[in-house]
Amino acid sequence: MPCRSQRLLFAGLATLLALSSAPLAPARADIYRYEDPDGTLHFTDAPTDKRFKVFMRDIKKDKKLRTAFKLPGYARNPAEFEPIINSCSREFGVDSSLVKAVIHAESGYNPSAVSSKGAQGLMQLMPKTAQGLKVSDCFNPSDNIRGGVRYLRFLLDTFKGDESLALAAYNSGMGSVAKYGGIPPFKETQSYVAKVLSYRNNYR
């Protein structure tokens, strides 16, 4: 008679096989895995709990995203951060496609990214900004995204919902936007705003 751990393993494998070969699924998806303290394994292709971690990537989907958006080789699969992004977007009332576009433009989906100016993580938060947003670890995707989305909400409120001005402020600071009464005449900032809005349309 198989032991308890073997039964749990068999159950987990059966669930995984069912998810990966289900005939009704029109497309492949990443498979996520979570193990209970008692050893029970759970698998899903639509995680609703942050304890689920990517177990098996949808290689075709990952390749398609990298090709369509020209993501760098060090980028993580954007789908990996989908649950965090959706949760924070709902919490702060910011369009998830805008959040994805900012992450794409800021770090190329690299949680370890550090800019020459010292901005850190997926949404490239400056240390002082992160401190004000109560982000304890800029390299923790969940903390970083939540802080970045909260900051976007603040900027959107400050500029009365004007996404272009909010993005300009995200890139060059609120002081620059206030000084010039609009998007600053900086090539970098103007290019940044146009790029993020373009990415945003693709993520919709």
Side-chain angles (χ1 to χ4, degrees), residues 164-165 167-169 171-191 193:
S164 294
L165 293 183
L167 291 172
N171 177 260
S172 62
M174 290 189 294
S176 293
V177 176
K179 177 180 178 180
Y180 292 99
I183 300 176
F186 308 143
K187 185 176 181 180
E188 177 189 337
T189 301
Q190 293 176 346
S191 175
V193 172

Side-chain angles (χ1 to χ4, degrees), residues 55-157:
F55 175 72
M56 182 184 299
R57 294 189 188 282
D58 179 348
I59 302 301
K60 289 185 178 180
K61 179 180 179 182
D62 186 41
K63 184 177 180 181
K64 181 179 179 182
L65 281 169
R66 290 177 188 277
T67 301
F69 292 118
K70 297 181 180 179
L71 289 174
Y74 55 71
R76 298 261 286 273
N77 183 355
E80 181 178 344
F81 306 107
E82 191 93 12
I84 303 172
I85 292 172
N86 289 338
S87 175
C88 293
S89 294
R90 287 192 298 269
E91 180 180 357
F92 294 104
V94 178
D95 188 350
S96 61
S97 62
L98 181 62
V99 177
K100 294 173 187 177
V102 169
I103 293 174
H104 187 154
E106 290 287 346
S107 67
Y109 282 93
N110 177 11
S112 303
V114 178
S115 75
S116 59
K117 296 180 181 179
Q120 303 172 335
L122 287 166
M123 298 192 76
Q124 290 290 277
L125 301 177
M126 293 296 288
K128 287 186 178 180
T129 301
Q131 185 177 7
L133 294 167
K134 298 181 180 180
V135 176
S136 58
D137 183 2
C138 277
F139 298 110
N140 178 293
S142 182
D143 289 352
N144 188 285
I145 292 174
R146 190 174 191 281
V149 176
R150 182 181 180 188
Y151 186 45
L152 272 177
R153 178 71 269 164
F154 167 73
L155 293 175
L156 286 167
D157 289 342

Side-chain angles (χ1 to χ4, degrees), residues 7-52:
R7 291 198 302 273
L8 291 173
L9 177 60
F10 293 155
L13 288 175
T15 303
L16 176 60
L17 287 173
L19 282 170
S20 62
S21 61
L24 296 179
R28 298 177 60 189
D30 294 323
I31 302 300
Y32 296 78
R33 173 184 179 276
Y34 165 62
E35 182 175 352
D36 279 335
D38 66 0
T40 302
L41 296 174
H42 303 272
F43 296 91
T44 182
D45 61 352
T48 56
D49 191 305
K50 64 181 180 180
R51 291 173 296 182
F52 278 100

